[in-house]
Amino acid sequence: MGKSLVIVESPAKAKTINKYLGKDFKVLASMGHIRDLPTKKLGVEIDTEFHPNYVTLPSKKKIVAELRGAAKDADAVYLAPDPDREGEAICWHLQEAIVPKGKPVFRVLFNEITKKAIQEAIKKPGTVNMNLVDAQQARRILDRLVGYKISPILWGKIKAGISAGRVQSVALRMIVDREYEILAFVAEEFWSFSADLEGDSPPQLTSKLVKWDDQTLRMGIKAAKRTIANASEADEIEAILKKADFVVAEIKRKAKKQNPAPPFTTSKLQQDASRMLSFTVKKTMTLAQRLYEGKEIDGETSGLITYMRTDSTRVSDDAIQDVRTYIGEKFDERYLPENPRFYKQKKNAQDGHEAIRPTRVNLAPDDVAPYLDRDELRLYTLIWRRFVASQMAAKEMDETVLITQADAGTFETKGVVVTFPGFSAVFGEKSADDDSELPNVSVGEILKLLKLSKTQNFTKPPARYNEASLVKALEENGIGRPSTYASIIATIQNRTYVEKDQGKFVATELGLLVTDLLTNSFPELMDIHYTAKMEGLLDEVEQGTRTWQSLLSNFYGSFTEYLKQAEEHMPDIKRAGLKTDLICEECGKMMVIKNGKYGPFLSCSAYPDCTSAKRLRDLDASTTTVPVLKALISHVQVEQAPVDIECPECAGQLVRKKGKYGEFIACSNYPSCTYIHKEKVGMDCPRENCQGDIIVKKSKRGRVFYGCSAYPKCDFVSWDRPTGKPCPQCNEKTTYLKERKRGGNQISCASRDCGYKESAESLEAEAAVTE
């Protein structure tokens, strides 16, 4: 009897599963997809019901040959890629391209990589689910049609090398629309009051003014019946309050319960890992993949979490029983609810997989810590705690609201005392009100005013998206799937349509222009609701209630009309320009936005008869009502913030700019002056006979390093900052400041033979460098 062949995606997964199945099985990895649409042509026969012409990926030819040979020799082939649309498509391509005709071929599904799950899956194999394959195929062809048909139009109208995408462009639009909201926002003034009060018994309390003349006061962006709108009104109220008695008018007490959150879905894990661990979405998914594929613990390799691409909160009966047993053993009986918790699924959730949970709940974070790196452990801890907490008792609190009346003003203070931590003993962020005990006072008691604070406030514009809030918005609007969020975010950054500023997404000039043209030329494609509707249609294909050909046919009919209109009427920013509402000062014709070698600028529409042109940074955003122009002007002015340094070459103003590799300082008269300011460390190059200075540089990936100003004559470079001081131990080499995230900074000798190291606090090290 020969061996059976099992094919998975990754070598790590293959290594783990091979240990579970024994000598009768051979486990190989396909390294992901082996076939795809061709890269240099459309690859879709539109007139033949959108037939795709798949080709073997050039990088996979050797793997395909190896798999074909193994499949030929095997008694049977088991296809075991991930249990989702993409995994099912990989299975189908393997079946079509690898498995000989007539050879027994099976599809095996498992939600976790454990010995029990793998062996049970092999015992109960199925067949490739063609509905899932069709849904993936429809998505792939949709994305190919949009990318290959629209991108060339953008190359001709804006610049070469840029692209459009069915989902990425809508995500970009959300970021751009937020920029427009921020620019259109008008701050409104409002004033607030707080009073520090003292009763007959401690502690003191701080109370906020919430009403005046029984009308609710504005406390933020949300509108209210009454606003203290200016300083004079605030002064009048202050004078009244200072003379008033602060009388306890009412005391409200009630017991409250807070139930735990369900175990993680993919999007919720991405959001919490971003918010709590500062992980990017891509990093979260990479770490989760490692935890899913398995780690060797006590001589046994096992996956530590279930499949990480899911939008279900469902948990298997066995897992619920295991976690309830664990809670009962590790905690007081009060922490275990009488009945298991079951969580309501969101609308349109794909319930094929469980929620993300540990495969063995008895492996607490401390147990796996020796086998994981720091970030793997942090993510595992987050997943483990959330899952355990999801089956624990509610958090119980006593809430007290103390209402104090001072003349026409109503003040309110809230105090919360946690009477039973429940699930928060394992997972939960402490509220600002938790354990904020109020003094024991009685209705009618007059409290002593210790301090009255008056504060001027202004409403704030909506915040820009960070990774967590963008993922949340994509999910809420039904754009893409949790499994695609990482690639969406990566794509719009790689295309330089957005950049990050202090963790927030900011649309670039290119992103603003592309979005404006696409929104006007392809309104349906760029509509958030339409994109969500398309996700629903893909779900229908997956469920077998719609064919993938009919979905594509219905889409392509209107899409071709938009393509024709765009080719003829989309503004050519390279040549004719994008119309604005500004008038040329020299000839009176309309000014237009053009995209040149150095970015967008304003040009007269009568060019070449009129050569008038303006830099965007010389304009005032308030002079135009065109959203994209207003945004471009604001973007350039923020990008080119002046610094207090004069250009040594032309005496112009130096400005702080952002380039491909990060922030730098250059002359504002660019391109006529190309001076770039180089930050000096304050020491000579340590190389013998070199007259250069050590300057701060940045690599292509934006990482700071230190090099010689005499480059290329001198090629001295260092990741660590030279101090300019000799080593106190060997006195021959210079020392370097090594900046470390953990354990404190360190000063060390350049010579490996010396080995001198000295711990240094960051400020002390900086002083040593600049002394």
Side-chain angles (χ1 to χ4, degrees), residues 173-243:
R173 181 184 180 175
M174 292 173 65
I175 294 171
V176 170
D177 284 349
R178 181 56 56 90
E179 290 294 317
Y180 292 160
E181 289 177 41
I182 293 170
L183 287 170
F185 181 82
V186 178
E188 296 181 24
E189 180 182 5
F190 69 97
W191 291 72
S192 59
F193 286 85
S194 65
D196 292 348
L197 305 169
E198 184 179 55
D200 293 336
S201 58
Q204 296 176 7
L205 62 98
T206 300
S207 196
K208 293 180 180 179
L209 181 65
V210 294
K211 289 182 180 181
W212 190 260
D213 283 335
D214 284 333
Q215 292 183 317
T216 304
L217 292 174
R218 182 171 207 161
M219 304 298 287
I221 191 76
K222 191 176 179 181
K225 290 184 178 179
R226 176 76 182 267
T227 300
I228 305 173
N230 51 57
S232 60
E233 188 178 356
D235 290 342
E236 290 176 10
I237 290 174
E238 181 182 33
I240 294 171
L241 291 174
K242 283 184 174 179
K243 296 177 183 177

Side-chain angles (χ1 to χ4, degrees), residues 269-327:
L269 176 63
Q270 291 168 346
Q271 292 170 51
D272 273 17
S274 174
R275 186 173 55 85
M276 300 169 74
L277 306 178
S278 298
F279 288 174
T280 64
V281 170
K282 182 178 179 180
K283 180 174 182 176
T284 298
M285 296 310 289
T286 300
L287 292 171
Q289 183 81 36
R290 285 192 225 156
L291 296 174
Y292 167 69
E293 290 183 342
K295 295 286 180 177
E296 188 170 323
I297 298 176
D298 295 333
E300 182 182 341
T301 303
S302 176
L304 294 180
I305 64 169
T306 53
Y307 190 54
M308 63 284 165
R309 295 183 181 94
T310 176
D311 52 6
S312 172
T313 56
R314 180 180 60 81
V315 174
S316 70
D317 293 340
D318 287 345
I320 289 178
Q321 185 57 50
D322 289 345
V323 72
R324 284 178 60 81
T325 300
Y326 180 87
I327 294 167

Side-chain angles (χ1 to χ4, degrees), residues 476-518:
E476 289 176 347
N477 287 287
I479 297 171
R481 285 290 179 205
S483 58
T484 65
Y485 295 158
S487 63
I488 291 169
I489 291 171
T491 300
I492 59 177
Q493 290 184 92
N494 293 339
R495 301 293 184 193
T496 66
Y497 292 152
V498 301
E499 59 191 11
K500 276 188 175 180
D501 182 11
Q502 297 181 338
K504 303 289 181 68
F505 289 113
V506 182
T508 62
E509 296 164 10
L510 181 61
L512 291 165
L513 288 173
V514 167
T515 302
D516 187 79
L517 295 192
L518 289 177

